[in-house]
Amino acid sequence: MKYLHEQDYYTVTPAEAYKILAQNKVPKKHKKLVMVTFDDGYENNYTAAYPLLKKYHIHATIGLITSKVDTQGMLTLKQVKEMKKSKWVSFVSHTQNHQELNRLDEAGQREEMYASRTWLKQDLHQKPDLLVYPVGRYNEVSPKVAKESGYKLALTTKPGLANAEQGLYELHRQRVVPDMTQEAFAKLLQP
């Protein structure tokens, strides 16, 4: 987070990512854009990441497994609401139960996506537009089901920088791993 701040990266929200990728509306005053994402909704997103996000003025997007909120080791609804209210964190769907979508039939995928989206609408009072595929896995029907379920974008774990040519429901993402050096991290951000 410190590196992104020091290098003057602008961290986009899911709504801004949609405008950039679908409408080619790139913020003119910012030259370096990145979307910071966390998967699953672990408690350390609140205890470790959230203080750094506030300190360095970094916006992050957390893909929640909605059935895991308020369970051991995961974010509580109270923590989620506090972070959402801060404006430094957006919450998006990581499905209801984190099942690998490529192993589910179309109806099963629809249930996972729809139930998660419904929870986000009811419990967080927001219109969730971004889906993060569990473990980045999906199949040929997943983009169609995601679109039909009301999502505008979906993230995979295919390595690389996201761009509109990949399709809005098959966007690539760079994986940051524990103990990654700053040099390796900087390389991930290069086009």
Side-chain angles (χ1 to χ4, degrees), residues 37 156 158-161 172-176 187-190:
T37 61
T156 71
K158 288 182 181 176
L161 301 177
H172 296 195
R173 205 166 44 138
Q174 297 288 42
R175 183 180 294 270
V176 177
K187 285 182 182 177
L188 286 181
L189 300 170
Q190 300 307 310

Side-chain angles (χ1 to χ4, degrees), residues 9-23:
Y9 274 88
Y10 178 73
T11 49
V12 300
T13 66
E16 290 170 322
Y18 178 76
K19 287 178 184 176
I20 292 165
L21 293 164
Q23 302 167 355

Side-chain angles (χ1 to χ4, degrees), residues 39-108:
D39 289 359
D40 305 333
Y42 292 109
E43 185 179 34
N44 67 8
N45 294 171
Y46 180 81
T47 58
Y50 183 48
L52 294 173
L53 298 174
K54 292 188 293 185
K55 178 179 179 177
Y56 294 114
H57 299 158
I58 300 289
H59 186 276
T61 299
I62 298 175
L64 280 179
I65 305 168
T66 54
S67 71
K68 300 292 185 187
V69 173
D70 282 325
T71 64
Q72 181 68 34
M74 305 303 277
L75 291 170
T76 66
L77 184 57
K78 182 179 178 183
Q79 291 167 331
V80 168
K81 287 183 176 182
E82 178 187 332
M83 288 190 286
K84 181 178 183 263
K85 187 176 180 182
S86 77
K87 306 293 186 203
W88 292 116
V89 182
S90 295
F91 290 92
V92 298
S93 174
H94 200 35
T95 71
Q96 180 179 29
N97 297 300
H98 200 262
Q99 295 184 42
E100 294 180 25
L101 298 177
N102 61 328
R103 296 182 178 187
L104 299 178
D105 63 15
E106 186 172 333

Side-chain angles (χ1 to χ4, degrees), residues 1 19 30 36 60 63 70 79 99 107-109 111 118 121 127 152 157 164 167 178 183 185:
M1 300 306 140
K19 287 178 184 176
H30 303 289
V36 175
D70 282 325
Q79 291 167 331
Q99 295 184 42
Q109 289 189 44
E111 174 58 29
T118 299
K121 286 166 66 175
K127 183 180 167 189
K152 293 181 178 178
T157 53
E183 182 181 326
F185 178 69

